[in-house]
Amino acid sequence: MLTVTFIRHGESEDNTKDIWAGWKDAPLSPLGTLQVSALARFFHQSQTHFDHIYVSPLLRAQATGKAIHDLQPHDVPFTILPKLREQHFGCAEGNMWAYDVAPGETRESMIASGVYPVPLLRSDKFEGGESLDDLAVRAEEAMRECVLPHVGEEDVHIAVTSHGLCISELVKAVLRLDPDADHERDYTGLLNTAWTRITVEPREGNEGLNVKVTDVNRSEHLETVSSSVASSDVNTNSDARAFFGGKTKSDTSTVTPTHI
């Protein structure tokens, strides 16, 4: 059986600001550094051993994956996969983020002032960027590069360190491998360094795959992070944090940490 643990990166310096930050390559914030250290220790202490770690090339994801790698008991293959990058927001990158068009404004007037509201549809995108539909295609390609090659291997556990929106599409891509999987449940809205886990195994007679989500948005390791440091982000827009955790306008439910 193949086990896949999808891990969102630690808090970046841009996560503390209400700006569009997809391919914009900010490092971890001080809190993010503590978060990834806590996660790496959690996996080490729980004897969660990975056979391969795949990471996005962006600094925040690489640093998260490297922290986990360094506390593994053996030399784990570490692969940087460009297709694991976050959604590219084109001309909005680095500009102010807004969830909705403000009263008395239009989308065009807000953009002219340097504030970019969230696109309305999955097919919408900023100039030079990707739509969610584009991201879904890329996530499908990434899944075929880092997940499918391990299907059928015995007792293999891989880690995929990426970003909130990208992980949402990656999980959907893996679930599509199994028509009988639960496609209705919401798996979006990961906290920084939270993880979601899936198992994949061939059916008897090699007639398709069984895919099961076993854990969603697990973040108990964050209980060890200093509350005084964690309180430094209290003024950050909660809608922005939810959005970059993968919670888009079409997602209305709340995701709580769950072992299924």
Side-chain angles (χ1 to χ4, degrees):
M1 183 174 68
L2 168 65
T3 301
V4 185
T5 299
F6 295 99
I7 303 162
R8 188 185 175 204
H9 60 81
E11 180 190 81
S12 73
E13 291 182 355
D14 283 345
N15 285 148
T16 65
K17 310 168 187 175
D18 292 340
I19 64 172
W20 288 97
W23 288 17
K24 188 174 181 296
D25 206 7
L28 294 174
S29 69
L31 173 58
T33 300
L34 292 177
Q35 290 171 337
V36 301
S37 295
L39 178 63
R41 287 195 305 272
F42 172 82
F43 284 144
H44 176 72
Q45 293 168 359
S46 63
Q47 298 185 6
T48 302
H49 301 159
F50 297 111
D51 298 291
H52 204 128
I53 298 175
Y54 294 90
V55 300
S56 155
L58 298 174
L59 292 173
R60 54 198 187 270
Q62 281 201 61
T64 303
K66 185 69 165 52
I68 296 166
H69 176 274
D70 288 349
L71 286 187
Q72 289 289 292
H74 57 283
D75 188 19
V76 181
F78 188 87
T79 300
I80 298 172
L81 190 61
K83 289 177 182 176
L84 293 175
R85 284 179 293 191
E86 183 58 293
Q87 183 179 353
H88 184 21
F89 300 117
C91 62
E93 291 278 351
N95 286 294
M96 292 301 296
W97 179 97
Y99 191 70
D100 285 310
V101 175
E105 296 272 9
T106 65
R107 186 169 295 271
E108 291 73 20
S109 67
M110 289 185 68
I111 290 175
S113 67
V115 181
Y116 288 69
V118 172
L120 295 173
L121 305 174
R122 284 185 56 90
S123 57
D124 292 343
K125 57 186 171 184
F126 297 115
E127 182 179 352
E130 294 176 301
S131 67
L132 279 171
D133 287 342
D134 294 332
L135 179 61
V137 171
R138 175 157 60 81
E140 182 90 26
E141 295 170 351
M143 182 269 295
R144 295 185 180 281
E145 291 185 24
C146 66
V147 175
L148 283 187
H150 298 284
V151 173
E153 295 179 356
E154 187 174 352
D155 296 328
V156 170
H157 192 172
I158 67 171
V160 178
T161 306
S162 184
H163 310 264
L165 291 161
C166 188
I167 290 174
S168 297
E169 298 302 328
L170 285 165
V171 170
K172 293 174 186 176
V174 179
L175 286 171
R176 284 195 291 271
L177 297 173
D178 181 359
D180 298 324
D182 185 357
H183 298 272
E184 299 302 319
R185 185 182 173 96
D186 179 25
Y187 302 108
T188 61
L190 290 181
L191 299 171
N192 286 116
T193 66
W195 51 275
T196 289
R197 184 168 290 163
I198 289 180
T199 60
V200 184
E201 57 184 339
R203 292 177 177 171
E204 292 186 11
N206 290 321
E207 295 183 0
L209 297 171
N210 287 319
V211 179
K212 181 181 179 182
V213 179
T214 62
D215 298 87
V216 180
N217 200 26
R218 294 285 296 275
S219 58
E220 54 264 45
H221 60 280
L222 294 178
E223 295 172 4
T224 66
V225 176
S226 169
S227 60
S228 62
V229 177
S231 66
S232 65
D233 66 356
V234 295
N235 293 321
T236 306
N237 188 320
S238 60
D239 286 337
R241 286 189 167 270
F243 178 84
F244 289 109
K247 180 70 65 177
T248 63
K249 282 199 168 186
S250 61
D251 303 314
T252 57
S253 58
T254 299
V255 179
T256 55
T258 307
H259 175 71
I260 301 172

